[in-house]
Amino acid sequence: MDEQEIQQKRRENEEKAAASRARILGLPYLDTRKFENDIPLVKGLLDKSQMHEDFILPLQRGGEGKHYQFMVTSQTPRKVIDQIRQEYLDKGERTDFFLITDSAYKVFILRYDPPQETEYDDITIAGEGDSETLASVSKVLNEVSTDKVFDYLLDQADKLGASDIHIENLRNEIRIRMRVDGLLHPVATISRDRYRIFMGELSSRAGTSTAATTPQSGHMQKDVYVNGSSHLLNIRVEIIPTLYGQDAVLRLFNFDETLLNLDLLGLGDEERAEINEVISHPRGLVLMVGPTGSGKSTTLYSIINALNTTDRKIITLEDPIEYGITGISQIPINTTEGGSFADGLRSVLRLDPDVVMVGEIRDADTARTAIQASITGHLVLSSFHANSTSAAFSRMIDMIGTNPIFSSSVRLVIAQRLVRKLADNKEAFKPDEATLKYIHRVFEGVPREELKKRGVDLDNITLYKPVPSEEVPFGYKGRTVIMEQLVVSEDIQSFIRGDVQDINTTAIENAAKKNGMLTLEQKGLIAALRGETTLEEVSRVI
C-alpha cells in the first residue's frame, strides 16, 4: 500500500467517524471531498478569527440572502452554533449547520486564509560521500526558527518514512541522523551555538529537563497534514547525557489504528494461517521475539486488533504505551520507578480478561505468572528477548525449569525481522558458484514441493540487486516482514515436560524443523529468491 492509498484510507475512516458523530450530535453530515478544492467560501459572513477559534466556516448564502449554510466540526462549541442560529432567527433568516471532518476544515481554511510562512525545501537523504546534500540541508536547518525546527524535522521525517530521529552532540557541532527502512542516514549538522535553545525547545515539548544528569524519557505528539488528510504522530523521546551534552533519540510512531491490521503486514498464507489457528483458541501463550526495531510491537498490536471484538475483554500492560487502541484497557507499567509486569499481571487477572498482552517478559516471576495465566483460561501475548524461536524456547525453559504442567502453555513463538524491500526497477542476475552452494546448503532437508509452493525453484535460481534512481536513491522502498514461527507440537512440548535430557537451542530447532518449521535464514532467502529483497539485506539483518 503506497502513501497515497494510506492517506485515502485514513480520510475514509475519518469521514465514517464524522458521519457517526453527526448522528450523535443531531447534525447533518457533509462529505466535502468532491468540492473542497473548488467551491469558495462566502466572504464577509464570519471574521477570520472566529473561523479559526470556533472551527466554523460559511459554506454559502441561499436565495435572496435569507438562507445561510455553515460547516462545523466536532471541535465547534455547541453554544456558538446556538448563538448564530438564534441571531439569524431574530432577523427572520434561516440557518443550516453541517458537520465536516477536521481534515476537510483544514483544506478549506488553508485555501481561504493561507498562513504567511516561509517555505523550506524538503529534506533529501544524502548518499555516501554526498557532502553537497548534507551542506544544503544543514543550511536550511540552521535557518529554521527554533520554535519551528522540531515541526519541520518531524514533518520531514514523516514524509521520508523515518522511524526515528537521532540528535547527537559532537565536539564542534550537533549531528542529525534519521533511520529510514532500518538504516541510519546523516541528514544535517547544526552549529553548537544553537545547542541550548535547540535542547530547551525539545525539553519543553517532551517534558524533560535540560539540567538532568541521568537518562530521561519523554513524550510528545504532533498532527501531520498530508494531501488534505491528517494523522497523529506519537513521539517517544529518550535523552541521555554524553561527553558534550545531552543526546536525544525521537522514536516516531505514525499512529493509525486501522493500519494495525494483520492483512497489512505482508504475511504469507502459511504464516497467517498458523497465527489465526493459535489466537482462535481461548488460552495459551504467544511469544514475539526479535531485536529493537524489528516490528514486534506492530505485529502484537495487529493481533490484538484482530481479537478486539465486543465479546472479549482485552487488557494490556505496557512500558510505555506506544499505541492507544479503542476498545481495550491499556495499563502503563513504569518499571523505572519500581513497577513490575508480574505484579500488574496478577492484578489484572482479577478483572477476568479474555486476552492479556504483557509488554515484555524480563524475569522468571513474570514468565511463571504469564504461563499460569495462559493455563487458567487466558490468551496471553508478550514479547521476549532472543535471536530466534528456538533460542527463546530454550531461554524460557531456563527461566521456569521443566514442568509437565507448563508443557501445554506456550503455543506459538514468532521471531521477526524487517528487511528493506527492493523497488520495482530492480535488476536480476545469476549468482556465482559459491552463492549457489550456500543457498542449497541453507535449504538442505526442506522438501522441494514446499519451496515451490512459496515461489522458489532451486533448479533455476535468480537473485536481484537494487538500482538507485532519483525517486529511490538506494534502490529500496519500504520494508517487509521475515517471520519464523515455531508452533509448539508434541515433540516440542517434551522439552518443557523434561522428557528430553539435552535441552539446547540446536536440539529444539532441529525438532521444529522436522515438524516443518522454516528458519529466519530460510525465510529471508525465500524473500531474496522471489525478488522481494537482496541477499546482502538478508545477511545484514538476519
Side-chain angles (χ1 to χ4, degrees), residues 266 419-423 426 454 464 476 480-482 523 526-534:
V419 295
R420 290 184 295 171
K421 285 171 64 177
L422 279 168
K426 59 197 172 190
R454 296 171 182 267
Y464 300 83
Y476 295 94
T480 188
V481 172
I482 303 295
K523 288 287 191 70
I526 288 171
L529 293 170
R530 290 197 304 211
E532 296 168 9
T533 189
T534 63

Side-chain angles (χ1 to χ4, degrees), residues 3-138:
E3 181 65 24
Q4 188 175 4
E5 289 174 321
I6 289 173
Q7 297 302 338
Q8 288 172 350
K9 187 173 178 63
R10 285 180 178 137
R11 182 66 187 268
E12 182 64 35
N13 290 329
E14 192 178 359
E15 294 294 338
K16 287 179 182 176
S20 300
R21 185 171 288 275
R23 289 192 290 271
I24 296 169
L25 297 175
L27 293 171
Y29 156 70
L30 181 62
D31 187 343
T32 66
R33 282 175 287 184
K34 291 183 179 178
F35 62 82
E36 62 192 18
N37 290 306
D38 305 314
I39 292 182
L41 299 176
V42 178
K43 293 189 176 180
L45 207 58
L46 292 173
D47 292 333
K48 287 182 180 178
S49 59
Q50 184 179 12
M51 291 164 67
H52 283 286
E53 289 171 13
D54 295 332
F55 299 92
I56 185 169
L57 301 167
L59 177 58
Q60 59 186 11
R61 182 186 285 117
E64 300 180 1
K66 299 292 184 182
H67 180 194
Y68 300 88
Q69 294 178 332
F70 298 90
M71 296 183 292
V72 297
T73 76
S74 57
Q75 299 182 71
T76 307
R78 190 73 196 201
K79 66 178 183 179
V80 169
I81 298 174
D82 294 339
Q83 285 171 357
I84 292 175
R85 183 177 280 133
Q86 189 61 49
E87 178 186 327
Y88 281 86
L89 191 62
D90 291 343
K91 295 188 289 186
E93 295 168 343
R94 178 182 157 197
T95 54
D96 288 323
F97 296 86
F98 299 92
L99 187 75
I100 62 173
T101 61
D102 290 343
S103 290
Y105 168 83
K106 187 76 175 176
V107 173
F108 275 111
I109 200 70
L110 283 176
R111 191 159 55 84
Y112 184 85
D113 185 29
Q116 302 300 311
E117 292 186 358
T118 306
E119 289 290 327
Y120 296 105
D121 292 336
D122 284 346
I123 285 177
T124 303
I125 295 291
E128 192 172 342
D130 184 2
S131 57
E132 284 187 15
T133 300
L134 275 173
S136 172
V137 178
S138 300

Side-chain angles (χ1 to χ4, degrees), residues 87 160 229 307 406:
E87 178 186 327
L160 290 167
S229 182
L307 294 166
F406 291 164

Side-chain angles (χ1 to χ4, degrees), residues 169-175 189-193 244:
N169 280 275
L170 307 180
R171 183 176 180 181
N172 298 314
E173 59 196 10
I174 301 170
R175 180 172 65 176
T189 56
I190 298 177
S191 58
R192 287 287 305 176
D193 58 7
Y244 297 111

Side-chain angles (χ1 to χ4, degrees), residues 392-456:
F393 209 83
S394 174
R395 187 165 165 245
M396 180 61 72
I397 295 173
D398 285 342
M399 272 190 174
I400 63 172
T402 53
N403 189 323
I405 298 172
F406 291 164
S407 63
S408 63
S409 58
V410 186
R411 294 184 54 82
L412 176 66
V413 187
I414 302 172
Q416 183 172 304
R417 301 290 190 277
L418 292 174
V419 295
R420 290 184 295 171
K421 285 171 64 177
L422 279 168
D424 291 337
N425 59 333
K426 59 197 172 190
E427 183 181 324
F429 69 94
K430 291 294 181 182
D432 58 29
E433 195 62 33
T435 304
L436 285 172
K437 286 181 180 178
Y438 162 69
I439 292 171
H440 281 278
R441 187 174 71 251
V442 169
F443 287 122
E444 192 176 342
V446 180
R448 293 289 181 104
E449 297 74 24
E450 179 65 27
L451 291 174
K452 284 184 177 178
K453 275 198 309 185
R454 296 171 182 267
V456 172

Side-chain angles (χ1 to χ4, degrees), residues 120-121 123 135-144 152 194:
Y120 296 105
D121 292 336
I123 285 177
S136 172
V137 178
S138 300
K139 184 175 182 291
V140 170
L141 211 53
N142 278 291
E143 288 173 352
V144 178
Y152 174 70
R194 298 194 71 189

Side-chain angles (χ1 to χ4, degrees), residues 512-533:
K513 285 163 78 172
K514 283 180 183 175
N515 289 326
M517 184 190 84
L518 294 176
T519 66
L520 273 171
E521 187 177 20
Q522 290 169 340
K523 288 287 191 70
L525 275 185
I526 288 171
L529 293 170
R530 290 197 304 211
E532 296 168 9
T533 189

